[in-house]
Amino acid sequence: MSKANIYTVGGTVQANQNGIYLTRKADEELLALCRDRKFAYVLTPRQMGKSSLMVHTAQGLTQEGIQSVIIDLTSLGTQVKAEEWFLGLISEIADQLMLDTDIFAWWQSFSHLSFTQRLINFLYKILLVEVTSPVVIFIDEIDSTLSLDFTDDLFAAIRYTYNARVQKPEFHRLSFVLIGVATPGDLIKDPKRTPFNIGQRVDLTYFTFEEALSLT
């Protein structure tokens, strides 16, 4: 009988399929930030383990009673209109959290509002009302937004949920983790708007000798 392969070559580490996941300093840092409801970002080159870190952190949060949502922005497409893109984003969040609200009917009922306002209202009046536990939203592949001309509104809305915590304490239960190949300065492209200047960076470093010992 051949031995099962414990390694994952490319993509997210399949630790639940006879594989192993090695933790490193970033695992502890990101889990602690999410646990404390802090905003964070993991912005490093490809093939450094960003998505694997995301999945592993989400699993840890679930064990602690903290709900999480994982959004891969590439799944929303790039050849789409702004409304389709934002509605797809909200729909994905609602599906993963199994919200009761009819998102499509709700979206149409607020067609007089901008996409930014609708996203903020969804987070505040729908998500944080139906979900009473803390929620962490992981947004992966954020560099896919760099070619779109309307995603400044996404990062502006995320920044708003952080700044609004003073006036709206419910937002303390919601935090975001941004993941991808970019810099914070890339996220909001319009120089006339406030840059994306919130959150704490989590650096993905190479494994130390002690962290890699499990491979023996």
Side-chain angles (χ1 to χ4, degrees):
M1 178 182 290
S2 61
K3 291 184 179 181
N5 184 7
I6 64 172
Y7 300 103
T8 300
V9 181
T12 304
V13 173
Q14 305 297 312
N16 294 328
Q17 304 295 326
N18 299 317
I20 59 173
Y21 179 87
L22 300 186
T23 59
R24 44 186 160 172
K25 183 180 179 181
D27 288 88
E28 299 176 6
E29 291 180 350
L30 185 56
L31 183 59
L33 289 171
C34 293
R35 186 186 292 126
D36 294 339
R37 307 173 192 182
K38 302 288 182 62
F39 283 50
Y41 53 89
V42 186
L43 306 176
T44 62
R46 298 194 180 280
Q47 301 303 315
M48 288 290 290
K50 296 185 297 297
S51 296
S52 299
L53 170 65
M54 172 184 66
V55 172
H56 188 257
T57 302
Q59 292 171 344
L61 292 173
T62 299
Q63 295 174 1
E64 298 185 14
I66 300 174
Q67 295 207 52
S68 59
V69 175
I70 294 178
I71 304 293
D72 183 341
L73 291 184
T74 60
S75 67
L76 302 180
T78 56
Q79 303 299 317
V80 293
K81 296 179 180 178
E83 182 170 14
E84 296 170 340
W85 195 89
F86 277 95
L87 180 55
L89 174 68
I90 289 176
S91 177
E92 185 65 30
I93 295 173
D95 288 346
Q96 291 192 35
L97 293 175
M98 295 185 288
L99 302 182
D100 294 327
T101 300
D102 183 338
I103 294 302
F104 298 97
W106 175 89
W107 178 268
Q108 292 302 324
S109 68
F110 287 93
S111 58
H112 58 287
L113 298 180
S114 68
F115 301 138
T116 304
Q117 289 176 300
R118 276 189 265 186
L119 176 56
I120 292 171
N121 283 350
F122 164 76
L123 296 172
Y124 183 61
K125 297 182 178 180
I126 303 297
L127 188 157
L128 290 175
V129 170
E130 292 195 29
V131 180
T132 57
S133 64
V135 179
V136 180
I137 299 180
F138 295 87
I139 301 185
D140 197 9
E141 301 289 352
I142 61 169
D143 41 295
S144 67
T145 67
L146 300 182
S147 62
L148 302 174
D149 60 4
F150 51 77
T151 50
D152 280 8
D153 291 335
L154 167 66
F155 300 111
I158 292 174
R159 189 184 59 222
Y160 171 85
T161 64
Y162 176 82
N163 293 333
R165 286 179 167 187
V166 177
Q167 293 84 19
K168 299 177 179 179
E170 294 86 351
F171 276 126
H172 280 283
R173 290 193 289 111
L174 177 66
S175 57
F176 287 84
V177 177
L178 305 182
I179 300 169
V181 183
T183 66
D186 293 332
L187 301 184
I188 294 183
K189 298 179 284 293
D190 187 348
K192 297 179 182 178
R193 304 180 76 165
T194 304
F196 192 84
N197 53 2
I198 62 170
Q200 184 168 328
R201 182 187 182 102
V202 175
D203 290 316
L204 275 177
T205 58
Y206 291 109
F207 292 102
T208 65
F209 178 79
E210 291 75 16
E211 291 168 344
L213 280 176
S214 297
L215 294 176
T216 62

